[in-house]
Amino acid sequence: MSFFDRLQKESIVRENGSIAKCLDEFYEGFTIADELRKMLLVEDSDNYEIYTDQERDEFLFRLLKLICLGGPVCQYEDNIMPYFDTIKALYKNLISVQKDSKELLVSSIVYRFKGFDKDCMLVFPSNVEHEQNVAYAIIDPLKRHVAILQHRWVGSVW
């Protein structure tokens, strides 16, 4: 999980795993109470650019965003370790790797997809456009397996 080492380097996460707090902000339905969520969501934040756009498109980063931001009634963690444990377990279960001489290579192919009806209206994973409404198809071409990961943001429950 060295991909996430810079979270500690940039003081978003402390050495003991606690997530640095900030003053509460509200952004597109999210309550941002810490530097991690601010880095994930707010382009104007000081730490947004610690990951490039290309790195933010990687499936591992998308899992971080999906798990950390959760849904509208998500109870956020104060420590990063439960998030890392969940992301690691998901990644290991969804992604296949092959050993090529001394190197591990990812063999899975990940697609993010949306479904539309005949009138070009969004219907899947939800009929509302939101960055937490996602559906991924993870294809293992060697085993000929497909896994689907879907998350649906249902909006405010209050």
Side-chain angles (χ1 to χ4, degrees):
M1 302 281 281
S2 62
F3 184 74
F4 298 123
D5 287 349
R6 65 188 91 167
L7 295 175
Q8 188 173 344
K9 182 181 173 200
E10 298 296 329
S11 300
I12 295 169
V13 175
R14 295 187 180 90
E15 243 179 78
N16 65 359
S18 66
I19 302 169
K21 299 295 180 200
C22 66
L23 294 174
D24 283 3
E25 292 180 42
F26 299 97
Y27 181 82
E28 295 183 7
F30 294 98
T31 301
I32 299 172
D34 59 51
E35 293 296 331
L36 178 61
R37 276 163 204 76
K38 189 184 286 188
M39 181 273 302
L40 292 171
L41 288 168
V42 183
E43 290 183 34
D44 293 336
S45 76
D46 295 337
N47 294 312
Y48 185 85
E49 293 180 353
I50 67 170
Y51 289 98
T52 65
D53 288 341
Q54 184 178 358
E55 290 170 324
R56 285 175 172 271
D57 280 340
E58 290 187 31
F59 187 58
L60 192 57
F61 187 89
R62 289 177 182 248
L63 283 177
L64 172 73
K65 192 170 182 178
L66 181 67
I67 299 302
C68 290
L69 297 178
V73 292
C74 181
Q75 288 185 272
Y76 300 124
E77 294 289 339
D78 293 327
N79 192 290
I80 196 74
M81 292 316 295
Y83 294 131
F84 283 172
D85 293 342
T86 304
I87 293 164
K88 184 177 180 181
L90 271 171
Y91 195 80
K92 285 177 88 173
N93 281 313
L94 293 172
I95 301 295
S96 294
V97 295
Q98 300 298 314
K99 194 168 188 171
D100 181 35
S101 61
K102 297 180 183 178
E103 199 175 326
L104 289 178
L105 301 172
V106 173
S107 60
S108 295
I109 303 165
V110 179
Y111 294 101
R112 181 176 178 177
F113 64 97
K114 298 177 182 182
F116 297 89
D117 67 9
K118 62 182 171 71
D119 298 321
C120 296
M121 300 296 294
L122 183 64
V123 294
F124 183 81
S126 174
N127 61 347
V128 177
E129 190 70 45
H130 191 279
E131 65 185 298
Q132 284 295 90
N133 286 334
V134 294
Y136 297 103
I138 302 98
I139 301 169
D140 182 343
L142 301 175
K143 294 180 184 172
R144 296 182 181 184
H145 288 173
V146 176
I148 302 293
L149 175 65
Q150 177 197 357
H151 182 269
R152 185 171 174 211
W153 176 276
V154 293
S156 178
V157 295
W158 313 116

